[in-house]
């Protein structure tokens, strides 16, 4: 289920009124009222190492939240765990469950495999973090990734996702292998691995041909690379 307004020039503003509802979690926009909790997560040494981040002060975290909100190349959702009670101090922004982590897509990178001159949202780097230990190993990261990828494909016509996983992050590697992702390459300088899943997308002509309709021209199959990654996922 989803609820969104018309597409706007900036991506984060596209999802500012959007809630993506799954069976285990809800994805909601990252609001200022959520910054103290997020900042608390990002003081954890393990999460900092897995996400390749540096600790920020609370003031710096508020500034980061604003920059993410206004960045046309970044789409961010906070993950709410439906099995845990919501924080009433967050009001409607956090209704439905407890803050558990976040899931993001970055667009516009140089290594995303999109053709020159292509739509800037054709390919993005995706990542997920389940920060709350009580919310791990319950399928929330998997569902959060699926909700976000479906949203990007539906609303932005995204056809490719790139992910970079810390090479020692066994839970994330196992997650994507279970989803059918395949290893692509090592990036030793960053201690990362890249996984991908490729699927064939039918053209309208092929869909027509598959239903045995007459007069349908034959086109080559379009390959859409769907690559996803995670930091502290389970």
């Amino acid at each position: 289920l989803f609820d969104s307004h018309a597409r706007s020039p900036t991506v984060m503003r596209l999802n500012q009124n959007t809630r993506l509802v799954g069976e285990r979690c809800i994805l909601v926009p990252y609001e200022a009222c959520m910054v103290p909790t997020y900042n608390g997560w990002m003081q954890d040494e393990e999460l900092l190492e897995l996400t390749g981040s540096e600790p920020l002060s609370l003031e710096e975290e508020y500034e980061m939240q604003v920059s993410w909100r206004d960045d046309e190349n970044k789409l961010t959702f906070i993950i709410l765990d439906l099995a845990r009670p919501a924080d009433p101090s967050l009001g409607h922004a956090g209704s439905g469950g407890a803050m558990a982590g976040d899931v993001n897509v970055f667009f516009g990178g140089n290594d995303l495999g999109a053709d020159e001159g292509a739509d800037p949202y054709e390919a993005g780097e995706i990542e997920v973090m389940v920060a709350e230990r009580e919310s791990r190993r319950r399928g929330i990261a998997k569902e959060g990734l699926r909700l976000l990828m479906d949203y990007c494909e539906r609303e932005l016509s995204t056809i490719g996702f790139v992910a970079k996983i810390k090479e020692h992050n066994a839970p994330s590697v196992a997650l994507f292998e279970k989803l059918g992702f395949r290893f692509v390459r090592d990036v030793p300088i960053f201690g990362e691995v890249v996984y991908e899943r490729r699927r064939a997308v039918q053209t309208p002509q092929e869909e027509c041909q598959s239903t045995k309709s007459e007069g349908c021209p034959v086109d080559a199959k379009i390959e859409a690379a769907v690559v996803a990654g995670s930091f502290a996922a389970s």
Side-chain angles (χ1 to χ4, degrees), residues 110-160:
N110 294 326
D111 60 345
L112 300 179
D115 295 332
E116 185 175 352
D119 187 305
Y121 306 133
E122 179 178 305
E125 179 181 341
I126 193 166
E127 62 189 35
V128 63
M129 175 182 74
V130 179
E132 293 290 342
R133 296 185 184 279
E134 293 180 27
S135 298
R136 296 180 185 175
R137 302 187 182 280
R138 294 185 22 243
I140 287 176
K142 180 179 180 180
E143 183 173 75
L145 286 167
R146 283 180 167 171
L147 287 170
L148 181 54
M149 288 191 288
D150 287 347
Y151 178 78
C152 290
E153 291 170 357
R154 180 178 63 245
E155 299 295 321
L156 300 174
S157 300
T158 305
I159 62 171

Side-chain angles (χ1 to χ4, degrees), residues 34-209:
M34 300 170 173
V35 169
T37 297
Y38 194 94
N39 182 249
W41 291 340
M42 300 313 293
Q43 306 307 309
D44 182 274
E45 291 186 3
E46 179 188 18
L47 291 178
L48 290 172
E49 193 278 329
L50 289 173
T51 59
S53 304
E54 296 291 334
L56 301 178
S57 68
L58 185 58
E59 181 180 358
E60 290 171 330
E61 201 75 69
Y62 276 110
E63 293 173 355
M64 184 69 74
Q65 183 268 334
V66 172
S67 72
W68 287 0
R69 181 193 65 198
D70 295 337
D71 190 343
E72 64 181 7
N73 292 321
K74 185 176 176 69
L75 182 62
T76 298
F77 283 97
I78 292 294
I79 302 172
L80 302 181
D81 183 348
L82 287 168
R84 297 172 51 229
D87 181 349
S89 70
L90 299 180
H92 176 70
S95 63
M99 287 180 62
D102 70 338
V103 61
N104 311 282
V105 176
F106 303 87
F107 296 101
N110 294 326
D111 60 345
L112 300 179
D115 295 332
E116 185 175 352
D119 187 305
Y121 306 133
E122 179 178 305
E125 179 181 341
I126 193 166
E127 62 189 35
V128 63
M129 175 182 74
V130 179
E132 293 290 342
R133 296 185 184 279
E134 293 180 27
S135 298
R136 296 180 185 175
R137 302 187 182 280
R138 294 185 22 243
I140 287 176
K142 180 179 180 180
E143 183 173 75
L145 286 167
R146 283 180 167 171
L147 287 170
L148 181 54
M149 288 191 288
D150 287 347
Y151 178 78
C152 290
E153 291 170 357
R154 180 178 63 245
E155 299 295 321
L156 300 174
S157 300
T158 305
I159 62 171
F161 299 93
V162 173
K164 298 161 187 176
I165 311 169
K166 289 296 183 180
E167 59 188 2
H168 58 78
N169 190 351
S172 289
V173 170
L175 167 64
F176 293 108
E177 288 180 344
K178 287 178 182 177
L179 288 170
F181 289 82
R182 66 180 182 85
F183 172 80
V184 177
R185 64 181 182 275
D186 287 302
V187 187
I189 191 171
F190 296 119
E192 296 173 340
V193 291
V194 177
Y195 274 73
E196 75 172 13
R197 183 181 71 191
R198 292 185 176 271
R199 65 182 176 86
V201 178
Q202 284 188 316
T203 65
Q205 290 86 350
E206 288 175 320
E207 291 177 355
C208 182
Q209 188 178 48

